[in-house]
Amino acid sequence: MGANKTLLILPGDGIGPEVMHEVRRVNDWLRRKRAVNFDIFEDLVGGAAIDARGTPIAPETVARAKEVDAVLFGSVGGPKWDKLGFDMRPEIAILTLRRELGLFANLRPAVVFDPLVEASTLKPEVVRGLDLMIVRESTGGIYFGKPRGVETLPNGEKRGFNTETYATHEIERVARVAFELARTRQKRVCSVEKANVMESGLLWRETVSALHEREFADVELSHMYADNCAMQLVRNPRQFDVIVTTNLFGDLLSDLASMLTGSLGMLPSATLGGLDAKGRRHALYEPIHGSAPDIAGKGIANPLAQVLSFAMMLRYSFAMEEEAKLIESACTHVLASGLRTADIMARNCAKVSTQVMGEAVVRELDKLGG
Ligand code: IPM
Ligand code: MN
């Protein structure tokens, strides 16, 4: 591989390829105006890979993902592949990447963009200025725990089972990411589990507390049961800065948190691994939204979450904070100028297509940093 930074783009299914197309526009802008050059590889994942190769993610794709500096992921899935066996679902692609690349820390911000404060189903005074980060553990817990399966009981009845397991090191490494992140923010971490009913939750709580005492006493730590956390997120979401939680609770709570912002189509995410022997960190960036098969192919999807995922990639994988901020500002300016895709449409705004939204971001980039 050459001297350039390398990137693997996996657009996936549904609106994935459409919104990824707008990222390419932003990437082209960076190349032209900022001499930022990525060597880009592209490949199929999810349903697209099932159709072409009979597997949701080919081994070559996983190998490539391990080689590159960062992976930019679109979204996978759709009704066409819903009837396939458990190991052949499009979702296996993202789960395989998380596991094979050791991407244990899934960072899911919930940010209310000021021009969109009315888009939330909650009152503006509850969500205005919201900026919280959920750090979801993403290679362990009940998603991957063993034993798992469906067995037939002696009486012929079936029994399905999955296992929630967390070892100390799994808890420590994700908690460390949360504490370090908090240090760059408001220095508050809330650790979320169900220590009242689950042994693994109790171990989680004790491990996070011990690490806090040992290494992060400068950060404020609180603990919350997951059910209470769901309630608190709706009651008063601004009480949180960083939330760290398990794979399953993080899946639920991050969907909840994203909707506080009223705009699922706006939110990016990063999934980070540990440092490898060369000091490199595997990382994957993807929007929080799914493949939205109902609107796929219509050119109306909101490309901003994918564009903001690209910005997150610049920040966390390439330390290009200035360029990341530039892209984030460009997105905010476009919204402030009244352009809206259908998902965030509001009174007195102009409804635009995916492509027009992408072009508008590039125009703002020209104004801000050309
Ligand atoms: C997510 C998704 C995935 C998950 C699915 C697609 C496997 O819902 O990234 O939150 O449950 O982790
Ligand atoms: Mn989810």
Side-chain angles (χ1 to χ4, degrees), residues 86 142 145 147-153 155-164:
F86 204 72
I142 202 162
R148 63 186 299 156
V150 180
E151 63 184 8
T152 305
L153 299 173
N155 69 1
E157 190 192 1
K158 285 191 171 172
R159 176 173 170 273
F161 52 98
N162 293 84
T163 310
E164 172 89 347

Side-chain angles (χ1 to χ4, degrees), residues 38 55 91 98 185 247 282:
F38 292 113
T55 172
E91 288 82 356
R98 284 178 192 157
R185 300 167 49 101
N247 204 344
H282 283 310

Side-chain angles (χ1 to χ4, degrees), residues 337-352:
S337 77
L339 297 192
R340 298 283 187 277
T341 41
D343 57 313
I344 49 173
M345 185 56 191
R347 246 178 306 126
N348 302 324
C349 288
K351 199 194 272 186
V352 300

Side-chain angles (χ1 to χ4, degrees), residues 10-13 43-58 61 73 75-78 81 84 88-94 97:
L10 302 171
D13 307 317
D43 211 340
L44 303 173
V45 279
I50 293 172
D51 288 350
R53 301 184 189 138
T55 172
I57 182 159
T61 314
F73 194 91
S75 43
V76 291
W81 305 284
L84 294 173
M88 273 292 284
R89 286 164 306 132
E91 288 82 356
I92 293 292
I94 185 68
L97 285 170

Side-chain angles (χ1 to χ4, degrees), residues 23 26-27 30 72 306-314 327:
V23 170
V26 173
N27 180 61
L30 283 177
L72 191 64
Q306 192 79 61
V307 168
L308 291 168
S309 300
F310 182 78
M312 250 184 139
M313 178 197 81
L314 297 179
I327 294 170

Side-chain angles (χ1 to χ4, degrees), residues 91 94-95 98 106 108 136 143 247 251 254-255 286:
E91 288 82 356
I94 185 68
L95 295 176
R98 284 178 192 157
N106 184 197
R108 301 192 157 187
R136 165 193 179 191
Y143 270 58
N247 204 344
D251 184 43
S254 63
D255 261 32
E286 59 175 325

